[in-house]
Amino acid sequence: MEKVNLITSRTVVLPVENVDTDQIIPARFLKATSKIGLGKNLFADWRFDADGKPKADFILNRPEASGAAILVAGDNFGCGSSREHAPWALHDYGFRAVVSTSIADIFRNNALKNGLIPVVVDRAVHEKLLAAPDAIVTISVEDQTLTLADGTRTSFPIDPFARFCLLNGVDELEFLLAQEPAIAAFEKSRAG
Amino acid sequence: MKPRTMFQKIWEAHLVRPASADTPAILYVDLHLIHEVTSPQAFTWLREKNLKVRRPERTVATMDHSTPTTPRGRDGKIQVLDNAAALQIAALEKNCADFGIELHALGSDGQGIVHVIGPELGLTQPGAIIVCGDSHTSTHGAFGALAFGIGTSEVSHVLATQSLLQQPPKTLAVTIEGTLRPGVTAKDVILAVVARLGIGGGNGHVIEYRGSAIRALSMEERMTVCNMSIEAGARAGMIAPDETTFAYLEGRPRAPKGAAWDKAVAAWRSLPSDPGAAFDREEKFDADKLEPMITYGTNPGMGISIGGPIPAPSNATAEKALAYMGLTGEKKLLGHKIDVVFIGSCTNSRLSDLRAAAGIFKGRKVAEGVRVLVVPGSQAIKKAAEAEGLDRVFREAGADWREAGCSMCIAMNGDQLKPGQYAVSTSNRNFEGRQGAGGRTFLASPVTAAASAITGRITDAREMV
């Protein structure tokens, strides 16, 4: 996994609550057997009409959204299914962080394993972000801070182990594989 | 010893290593269920790293999400016409063959929705940790197991190490006392719970459903309840094992036999939460006050009793939901015209669900212009339903009787709504486009779905009995 620490970018604001994984990537795109290239299907039914033409009023289709790496969304982002295709699609599209007042459990776990930082902020900071789309924001994984354009800094929680993995580019699977003796001992203790 | 919850007992019994300040707990997984959609990338990573599956005997695969449910051809085989789905199915076949994993392949006797076949085969057992790359893994908690959905990275972790890194969740007791009134089903119970908690209300928690109304439920009903725990954001839902659980499991192909059975049951009896065990949170419901439920919006938490009015939208998100659904706040849903009825999914595709629906269909006809799909959860259920003539009841009423699979719940297998269509569905999600781009879903019980199929409008099944 690539190391991740500082992310500085303009924000894209999607002020919708409970954005579910069926919106992030509809199920018909889950027939892929690779995780590469899913960004083209990100928010497919919100981005494109039935003929596949971009809907002009959807935020990702506006010129100011181009190149932005931080998505600010409403409460309970990523609810619904366990599909890791959701963070794969967001990351492939170019997002590196999602900011909300809360983020669904499975989505958060999946995001952290793919270099997509789930950032949970309080309502006051969230409202500031919603009110100022296109603001330049800096996120630091090491400091666990989000810094607004006006210099206001807020801290956010992140699982210490996930933070360690992000900062050092450690794949969780490598860590688990190194626990083989403990796993073998556990299996032996149960068999006895 | 401090009283412990069932969750704590199971968690502690599976700790390869407890959580520390720097690392999450390492949990040992007893049963890993896999399917074609969320596993191919995990096998690719195993191959890239030259790894084996650590415990193939603890891994069981089936095909359900992208598989067609259309009738078999003359050769008795299910034809997969969608090229991408065919490739995904072939990939699972190869992965299972290469890594030595038991596969219940498309059309075989053991095939079906992953959360239906686990219990059916007796693989799902009390006290176990069960995971699957699917959020409705919570279903298996009905047996007093800790069962939750994982992502594909975690699928690779379990394949390679039979273990998972997990932060301990909080516990939420959902206590439902009293007696359900006639016509109120397990689906109505869970829709009422999710409506109260809200779609994110259970985030970070494992739910234990308890109380006299839960004890009175059959195993199939308990599975319906636990299945939708994730619709309140809770990764797992569980119900303490009891005589109902043991009676369901005894004699199933993979349940312990003889002396091993007696030993297992004795151990399972120690699983229920100790008296006085503390939960982080509790929500209480009065079973006698519950009504048949239906959803009106675009998430499963947007539910009302079937005769009630649609709530007036309180914010922009609620307005967006009503606009998508083409509905108006403060109006009733009863009598709203529908185009499709879907009876199936890991929530409501078991034999008792089909019997309940057939009870409504018997001697009646589906309303003109309404398409009805009845999709059994597994090949075994299909066979059992046909043995008692349920397929004939459905067909004679004008419904389609299909092969087993996820079907129109996930709409990635050819079964789907057309844009704008309204469906009453016994599945678990009413998200925008969930049942097909532009489709609009009302979630309800099998009897509500069947009654609505007959009238072509949203109908309270109690008026038909």
Side-chain angles (χ1 to χ4, degrees), chain B residues 217-254:
Chain B
L217 298 177
S218 70
M219 284 319 295
E220 299 196 347
E221 292 169 322
R222 292 179 189 185
M223 286 188 249
T224 298
V225 170
C226 289
N227 172 272
M228 288 187 70
S229 303
I230 182 68
E231 309 315 335
R235 287 184 74 184
M238 48 204 322
I239 293 173
D242 58 11
E243 300 309 319
T244 305
T245 319
F246 309 146
Y248 176 97
L249 275 174
E250 192 169 13
R252 300 231 165 224
R254 308 299 269 277

Side-chain angles (χ1 to χ4, degrees), chain A residues 38-50:
Chain A
L38 292 173
K40 64 177 183 293
N41 305 321
L42 178 69
F43 293 117
D45 291 340
W46 287 354
R47 250 165 92 199
F48 305 108
D49 65 19

Side-chain angles (χ1 to χ4, degrees), chain B residues 97-149:
Chain B
D98 289 358
F99 289 89
I101 294 168
E102 172 183 335
L103 169 67
H104 297 281
L106 184 59
S108 69
D109 288 350
Q111 182 241 335
I113 304 175
V114 65
H115 309 309
V116 174
I117 69 158
E120 201 169 77
L121 292 169
L123 288 163
T124 301
Q125 293 175 16
I129 288 190
I130 301 172
V131 299
C132 173
D134 188 286
S135 62
H136 293 110
T137 307
S138 58
T139 312
H140 307 265
F143 291 78
L146 175 59
F148 52 90

Side-chain angles (χ1 to χ4, degrees), chain A residues 17-18 22-23 30-31 46 76 80 82 84 105 109-110 159 161 171 174 179-180 186-187 190, chain B residues 14 17 28 30 49 54-55 82 88 134 151-153 167 199 203-204 235 317 412 429 432 434:
Chain A
E17 293 171 16
N18 307 314
D22 276 275
Q23 307 318 310
L30 307 188
K31 287 179 223 162
W46 287 354
N76 194 34
S82 64
E84 201 160 319
D105 292 344
N109 282 347
N110 287 339
D159 170 68
F161 181 71
D171 183 338
E174 297 300 330
Q179 307 300 312
E180 206 285 329
F186 180 86
E187 286 175 334
R190 281 181 125 200
Chain B
H14 289 81
R17 245 179 61 176
Y28 194 77
D30 296 300
K49 291 175 196 275
R54 182 178 180 87
R55 292 285 163 210
D82 177 338
Q88 207 167 45
D134 188 286
T152 300
S153 293
Q167 289 294 355
I199 178 150
N203 278 354
R235 287 184 74 184
T317 299
M412 59 180 293
R429 288 188 175 137
E432 287 183 27
R434 169 78 180 189

Side-chain angles (χ1 to χ4, degrees), chain B residues 391-406:
Chain B
D391 59 321
R392 271 209 335 268
V393 174
F394 297 131
R395 284 203 182 101
E396 281 168 14
D400 267 9
W401 174 244
R402 310 284 285 217
E403 289 293 328
C406 298

Side-chain angles (χ1 to χ4, degrees), chain B residues 31-60:
Chain B
L31 175 64
H32 186 197
L33 300 166
I34 60 174
H35 63 80
E36 76 281 14
V37 172
T38 57
S39 66
Q41 296 85 353
F43 284 105
T44 302
W45 301 330
L46 253 58
R47 286 197 179 92
E48 282 171 5
K49 291 175 196 275
N50 215 5
L51 295 168
K52 285 196 247 179
V53 173
R54 182 178 180 87
R55 292 285 163 210
E57 75 280 12
R58 291 187 177 276
T59 315
V60 176

Side-chain angles (χ1 to χ4, degrees), chain A residues 119-186:
Chain A
V119 178
V120 172
V121 295
D122 65 27
R123 213 154 280 284
V125 172
H126 192 243
E127 272 168 20
K128 257 189 179 178
L129 287 165
L130 290 180
D134 316 325
I136 303 284
V137 164
T138 295
I139 289 165
S140 163
V141 174
E142 184 162 28
D143 300 338
Q144 296 180 230
T145 55
L146 178 149
T147 308
L148 301 174
D150 65 3
T152 322
R153 184 168 292 194
T154 183
S155 62
F156 62 87
I158 187 165
D159 170 68
F161 181 71
R163 176 172 166 272
F164 169 84
C165 290
L166 289 166
L167 290 173
N168 297 285
V170 173
D171 183 338
E172 288 188 15
L173 178 54
E174 297 300 330
F175 174 85
L176 266 176
L177 287 166
Q179 307 300 312
E180 206 285 329
I183 295 167
F186 180 86

